[in-house]
Amino acid sequence: MNLRNIAIIAHVDHGKTTLVDALLKQSANFKLKTGAASELIMDSNELERERGITIFSKNAAVLYRDVKINIVDTPGHADFGGEVERIMRMVDGVLLVVDAKEGPMPQTKFVLRKAIQAGHKVIVVINKIDKPDARPEWALNATFDLFFELGASEEQIEFPVIYASGVQGKAGMTKHLETMKDIEPVFEAIVAHIPPPATGAGSLQFLTVNLAYDNYKGKIAIGRLYGGTLRKATPIAHITRAGEVKRATLTAVMVFDGLNRIDVEEAQAGDIVAIAGIPDVTIGETIADAETPQPLPIIEIEEPTIQMTFAVNTSPFRGKEGKFTTSRNIKERLEKELETDVALRVTPTDATDRWIVAGRGELHLSILIEKMRREGYEVEVSKPQVIFKEENGERLEPIELVSIEVPETYSGTIIEMMGKRLGTMKNMRMDDNRVAFMDFEIPTRGLIGLRNRFLTSTKGTGIMNTLFLGYRPYLGDITAIPHGSIVATEAGTSTNYGLVTAQGRGKLFIGDGVPVYEGMVVGENAKEGDVMVHVAREKQLTNFRAKNEGLAEQLEVPISLSLEDALDYISDDELVEITPQNVRIRKKYLTDNERRKAR
C-alpha cells in the first residue's frame, strides 16, 4: 500500500491546527460538509475551540496523488503529554511546526524529544512567515540547536525544511511568501522523506492507541496495524495489559477517509485502523491472531506530578444545579476517564465519597473538571498538591522549566517573584523591542497559585510557559505568601448594602443578588488572614430622612474567577465547589465553630 503515517507536533499556538486545515482542504479526497466549521477543522471539541488549543489527539486521512497520508493531530501542551507519547507508537515520522517569530518554545522541546526518542524522521515547517516581525533564519538556527541539545541522530539532524503560512494555505522551499502558491510542497516532503510503514510477514498485531464511542457500534479501538490483516467477523485474541488472553470477534473494521471512519471488509498492515466488537478494550492493549497471539510492548507513560482530592459536593447548595451528585456517579465518571486518559491516576481514600486524582499538571486536571461540569456533575476539589518521591532515603520533588516573556519594565518584579518561590534563573536576553526573555528552573509547588499573580504583576502583558524537567532533591520550604479571604457569615442573597462593607476589605468575587451560604468565600482580603462579613445584610428602614439619602454607594465590578483562577487562588483550608452553572470557593469547615475545632 502506498501509505504514510505522520503526526503533527508543535508548541501551543504555533499554527499546527491551521496548517492541518490547509492540508485537509487541499487534499484530493476531503470534502467539507455544509454547515461544518471551515477553520480549526480538527479541533472539533467545544473546549478546544474555546481555549484555542488542541487537547485530544485526532486522526484524519488525506489523498495526495496515489498516496494515502494518515495525519494525527497531537496536543501542544505538556500537560497532555500522555496523548503525545501514545501517538509516537502509531506513526513513522513527524511534522514539527515552529513559529517563524518565536522559534522553538518549551513545549516544542517536549514533543520533539518524544519524536527523537521514538527514532522518527522529522520534517521542520517554519510557519507564520507572513508575520511582520518574522525571523525564519533565526528560528531555523534555534531549531538546529534544539536537535543537538536533545541528542538527535545524524540522520534526524539532516532534516528537510519547509517555509509556510498555514493561515494562507501556502508553503515553499524558500522563505519568500510571494513565490508560494499552495500547500503542495508539504505533501511532496511527506512523500519524499517519511518512510512507508514497515510491515513484516508476521501474524496479526494491532496496538490500541486511542478510544472512541459510537452509538451503534459501541466502543471503538483506534491504533496501528503492525502485521497481518484485520477482517470483519473474524475471531481474534485480545491481550490485556495484565497479559491475559481473551477471545473476541470483530463486528466492524474501519479506516480513515478525511475526518470520517468508513467500514471496510479488511484492513492491511501499516494502516491506522479503527475496530469494534471488544467492549472492555483499553489503551495499550494488543489485538492479535487467535491461534498464535503475540503481544506488543505496552505503552510507557511518564508519571503524574500533581494531585487533588475530588469529593462529593457537601455545600448547602448541593443538588440544586447538577444532575450527577452522588459518590457512585463521580466514581463511575472517573473510571470512565481512566479508559481514555493513560496519564491520569485515580486512588480511592478511606472515605467512600472522595478520591485522590493525579495528573501531569493543573491544566490536565482542570480540563477533566471542566468536562465533568459540562456533563452535569457536581464535585468539590482541594488545592492542587505536588507528588513527592523517595529514593535511597532522599526526598525528591518535580522541577519545571519556566520560560517567561515580559516587557523590560516588569523584569525586576518577575525575578523577585520567582526567587521567593525558589526559582533559579538559567538564561536571560533582551530583544530590540525591550522585551525580556527569561528561563527559570523552579519546583512545581512554586508554580501553584503563580499564574494569577504573574498576570496581575505584568498587567496582562506577560507570557509564561512551563516544561516538566524531572525529579530532583527537595529544595527546601517556600515562605508562605500572605493570603486572606472575605467569608460570608450567614446564608441569603448578597445585597448592595452588605457588599459595600465587604468591598472596603478587599476585592469581591460576587456582585449584588447572588445566593450565598455561611462559609462561602466572596472575595480576597487585602491583608493576611480571613475576615467575616454579612454580605446578605439589608439596610434597615427608618422614618428619618438623612442627607444624601437615596444615593447608593457604588460597587466595583467583581473579579470573575474561572475554574483555573479558583484553583490557583485557594489555600489549604479552602475548596472549590464546581457545578454545571457555577464555580464557588468555600471554606472546608463552613461554620466558625467547626474552623476553631479544626485549628
Side-chain angles (χ1 to χ4, degrees), residues 76-95:
H77 199 288
D79 274 21
F80 308 107
E83 300 267 331
V84 178
E85 289 162 342
R86 307 197 312 249
I87 297 312
M88 291 304 142
R89 293 284 296 274
M90 200 154 53
V91 298
D92 302 295
V94 298
L95 247 63

Side-chain angles (χ1 to χ4, degrees), residues 285-331:
E285 296 183 337
T286 303
I287 305 304
D289 185 75
E291 303 301 324
T292 55
Q294 295 293 324
L296 287 162
I298 292 173
I299 299 170
E300 296 297 332
I301 302 293
E302 287 181 7
E303 293 295 311
T305 57
I306 292 281
Q307 66 183 25
M308 296 163 61
T309 301
F310 280 48
V312 169
N313 186 14
T314 57
S315 89
F317 292 168
R318 174 186 176 178
K320 292 185 177 181
E321 298 171 356
K323 292 188 292 183
F324 308 111
T325 61
T326 67
S327 59
R328 181 178 60 82
N329 293 147
I330 297 169
K331 180 174 181 287

Side-chain angles (χ1 to χ4, degrees), residues 19 100 124-129 135-141 144 160-166 170-177 180 182-183 185-186:
L19 185 70
V124 173
V125 179
I126 306 295
N127 195 29
K128 300 190 179 183
I129 63 165
R135 40 183 184 171
E137 289 181 3
W138 174 86
L140 179 58
N141 290 333
F144 267 113
V161 182
I162 297 170
Y163 299 90
S165 167
K170 295 179 179 180
M173 305 307 291
T174 66
K175 54 182 179 290
H176 304 296
L177 187 63
M180 299 177 186
D182 51 32
I183 209 72
V186 178

Side-chain angles (χ1 to χ4, degrees), residues 518-519 587-596:
E518 183 180 2
K587 289 293 178 182
K588 275 185 184 177
Y589 303 100
L590 294 178
T591 68
D592 191 42
N593 277 340
E594 288 174 338
R595 288 193 287 275
R596 287 182 184 178

